[in-house]
Structures are given as C-alpha cells and as structure tokens.
Amino acid sequence: MSALPLQAAGRPNRPVRPLRPLRLRAHWSDTVAWAVTALVVLLLVAFLALPLAAILRQALVGPDGEFVGLRHFVAYAEAPALLQSLWNSLWVSSVVTAVVVPTAFGFAYALTRSCMPAKGLFRGIALIPLMAPSLLSAISLIYWFGNQGIAREMLQLVGFDQIYGAPGIVLAECLAIFPHTLMILISALALADARLYEAADAMGTTRSRKFFTITLPGAKYGLISAALVSFTLVMTDFGVPKVIGGNFNVLATDIFKLVIGQQDFAQGSVVAILLLAPAVLTFTVDHFVQRKQTAMLTARAVPYQPRPARGFDNLMTLYCGVVAACMLAMLGMAIFASLATFWPYNLAPSLKHYVYGLVDNEVSTGFFNSLEMAAGTALLGTAVVFVGAYLQEKTRGMALLRGTLRMLAMLPMAVPGLVLGLGYIFFFNAPGNPLNGLYHTLALMTLCTVVHFYTTGHLTAVTALKALDNEFEAVSASLKVPFFKTFWRVTLPICTPALVDIARYFFVNAMTTISAVVFLYSPETRLASIAILNMDEAGELSPAAAMAVLIAAASAVATVLFTLLGQWIDRRTQAWRSSAR
C-alpha cells in the first residue's frame, strides 16, 4: 500500500507537510526551580563575589577613588618588613607541611594497614583539635615551653631559647592541622585492591618493596592533596601566629595590623591578594590532581584486609600512642592551666578563671553569641547548601545559571577566612550599599561563616545526590509532579544522613572560627573565639585557656548530639537500606 495519504474527491493534490513533534512545555514548577536557583546564585554573588571584587578595587584605587594601577603593589615590594612576612609565611608553611604530612601518613597507615588494638580510640584522640580553635594548641605550648613553662628546660636542650616565634608557630600548627591531613590520608589508604598484595606475596616481595611499589603509588594523589591542604591552612591561619608568634610576622598577622592597627586599607588589600594567590594556586592544582586520579577499586577488586603481625602491630601501636600522647598533652595542659589558681606558683584547682571569663569579663555573652551563630550557620548553611546542590544536580535546563552556581559553590574553598572578612569590611561598610545595615550584626557573621565553609558542605551534598538515580526526577516530570514534591518526599528522606553531617560540620566550624569574623564583630556581637584573642592580648592567658576549653567542650557535646540525631534519623528514614539486604 502507498504511504501517501488518501486525497479527498475533487480536490487537487497538495504537498503533505510533515507532522511536527509535540513541543514539551515547561511545567510551572520549572519556573520555581529557576527562581530559587537564581536566588542561591544571587546570595553567593552578594556575599562572596562582590566582597572579593571590593578587595581588588581597594588595591587598585587611591585615597580619592582614582585608579592607581599597581602603585600599591610596588609600594609593598619596596617595604622590606612586608616582604619578610611573605618569606616567613612561605617557609613556615613549607616546614609544617614537611613535618605533618609524613606524620599523619604514618598514623593513617597504622589505622588502615595494621591490626593494632583500639583503632577507634586513637582516631578519636587524633581528631580532638577539630573541636577547638587553632589557638588552643598555641596556648598549651606557652604553658609547656613559655617563659614560665613547666618544660622550658627541654626546649633549651634542643637548641631553642624560647617558644615564641617560628618554633612555636611550627609546633602549634602541626598539632592544629594534623586531623585535617589525617582525614585525607585515611581516605586515600582505605581503598586498596587486595589482589595486588596477594600477587606480590606470591612472588616473594618484601614488605618494604610492596610499600614503595603498591602503597605509595596508590596513595600519591591523597598525599598531594594533603600537602596542598596543609600548606594552605598554615599560610592562612591567624590564631596561632597571633598568640605565639611574638615578633615573627606572617601575612595573616600583617593584614590584621595594617587594617585594624594602621587603617591602611590599600596595603591590607595587597596583602590579602597575596594571601589569596597561594590558596587559589593550591585549589587549582588539587582540582587538576583530582581529575587525574583513577579509581582504586574496580568491580572485580577485593577490599584489602590487613593480617595480624605481632611485631608490626606493636610498632604501629607505639607510634600512634606517641602521637596520641602529644594530642592529649595539648588538651590536658589547656585544661590544667585553666584550673590552676595562679600559674605557676599556686597550682591548686579552682574555677576562678572560668568565673572571671564568663562573668567578670562578660564572655558568657560571647559564648551565647557563638552558640547562636553556630546554630544559625548549621540551619541556614545546611538548607542553602543542600537546596543549591539539588538544583544543580537534579533539575533540567538553565545551563548557564547552573554552571554559575557550580563555579561560585567551589570558589570559597580557595578564599582564606581573613580575605573574606576583609572583603566584607570594604563591601558592607560602604555608605551607599543597601546592605550596610548588616554590618557588625550577628546575621552578617552567620552569613560570612556559611559562605566561608560552603564548598565542603556543597561537595558532601553533591556526593549524596549523585548516589540517587535520576529516574526519580524523570518519572516525576513525566507525571507532571512538581520537583519540590519529589524533593520533599523522596530525595530529602534518603539524604538525611548527609544533612546531619553537613549541619555538624557547619556547627563545629562556626564555634571555632576566628579569621573570617575577626573584622566583623562589635562589642555586642563579640564571639567566644574572639574573646580568647582579646584576653590573650591583655595578658590573661589562663582565662583564655578556660574559654578555649569551653569551646572545645561545647563542640564535643554538639558532635555527640549530632551523632545521636543521625542514629535516630537512620532508624526512621533509612530502614529500607537494611531491608534491601
């Protein structure tokens, strides 16, 4: 039969037009998705991109607003003291990285490749510095090796006259950033194919040869990432150099002195850009390294299980015990000093420093401000991060808007807290800015903290969302179900464990942050972490130690509560996982 259509009688033949495919019309909920995505992008532009642009503008204009080009950069290069600070930051960061990465690698190797006892205990002790401000380690070192330290003679035995300056910064930074490096290396060593080691054993390969030909090559990308993160964290940290640095200047303390002490915003902007450069370089290299990394476990791989070896396990236990003892010595000294009545002449336990800090010095207001900001950061940050990640990964269309969101979501990882806080001064303190009313408020510090730690939460949410099949959204779209119903009924319940992890991350970091908010507080919105800096400047080191211990205790309690909340949520929303097995 002919494929041509039948013609009506008496009508001339006319060319037949091909049928047009049905045009898929956008559901009204897609407009809502575009609007919410635009709102998240606008939030990141206003609280991230524009403050950074304000720093660049401040470095390129003169006192009357005229364009001066690179004049401020040339003036910086002609200042020997400022150049010395740049060199100090570079070599201290390099030394800390060279020390902490091998140390953390040995600890991670013991946890993942040995059968030593009490692995959970050792890992928990190693993560203690995450619960406290970085300056807690500096305060502890002063009580150990300072001018009135109980072990000052030990420092002199190794050739150092005092702990203040470069030696103290190096030791304190090693203790403070150790857990950050450790978590990366544990992830790098946790995945290994047992078949490689079995083949090596069959050929009679020695343990050392297996280590250099299988283990190290498999963990090289993790080692590179750990080194980059360590270098950046030391380069941009403000708390440790401020407390124990003495006259040893680094870039982070230079920014504080130029902006707060000398009101030299132009030079402060130059230093901020210099501080931003290594962080951006580190982020770029790390991104390139992650792209080159290949999967260590294939579908046919056999997970590696360490075998008991008494001598090796005992050696790893001893090694982890020494590292754990250093962590406990840091925390224990801070607690002991905070309870000592009058250091070092009357060491009888007393709560006078806690009373002085919370009552007489009115740090209780700052402590409640910290709790309020941390709770707000956890709630707002988790909501914005997860909604933004969902719109980026699970919605259709609006490619340009989603690409902009992806770029802005990754940018905070490369921006140090001091730089972001300085940008907030220039941007939100401008008289013509309609958002000027937020300056010096707890709301602005909460938003700054959310933006500062945005990338890690975003990556966690994206990882959880990528584990869900896109069929959920496809079926919902075919049934004309609004995306937010699928989000509320399907995606959100499945991803609640990731939401708890993101909220815990935001809360703990908001309690311990210093650099991002050191420029933004007022007497009414002072935080507990900032109060520690103020007391240290006033020479009240014991009350400062007491407040640091309180922050660590609050973070530990919050971590336990979030863990219990996660377990309860797992029982309520993740039962399908166990039934599927």
Side-chain angles (χ1 to χ4, degrees), residues 33-78:
W34 299 339
V36 177
T37 306
L39 183 61
V40 176
V41 170
L42 185 62
L43 180 71
L44 291 175
V45 168
F47 293 93
L48 175 62
L50 292 180
L52 294 180
I55 292 179
L56 181 60
R57 178 186 179 279
Q58 195 73 29
L60 298 177
V61 300
D64 298 325
E66 74 280 8
F67 179 76
V68 298
L70 300 179
R71 183 188 304 172
H72 297 313
F73 292 88
V74 173
Y76 177 87
E78 293 175 349

Side-chain angles (χ1 to χ4, degrees), residues 463-481:
T463 302
L465 290 168
K466 283 184 178 294
L468 300 181
D469 199 332
N470 291 329
E471 291 290 335
F472 291 113
E473 284 70 30
V475 172
S476 298
S478 65
L479 296 176
K480 301 297 183 181
V481 176

Side-chain angles (χ1 to χ4, degrees), residues 350-372:
S350 171
L351 295 177
K352 58 176 280 187
H353 300 305
Y354 290 89
V355 174
Y356 173 81
L358 292 173
V359 179
D360 298 339
N361 207 13
E362 299 181 351
V363 180
S364 57
T365 302
F367 193 76
F368 285 113
N369 286 339
S370 293
L371 291 175
E372 184 179 349

Side-chain angles (χ1 to χ4, degrees), residues 423-436:
Y424 274 48
I425 290 181
F426 298 147
F427 181 68
F428 290 99
N429 198 30
N433 191 338
L435 299 175
N436 178 264

Side-chain angles (χ1 to χ4, degrees), residues 299-318:
R300 298 181 180 181
V302 178
Y304 178 80
Q305 296 292 336
R307 298 176 182 176
R310 178 175 298 180
F312 176 72
D313 293 341
N314 290 338
L315 180 62
M316 291 295 97
T317 304
L318 177 62

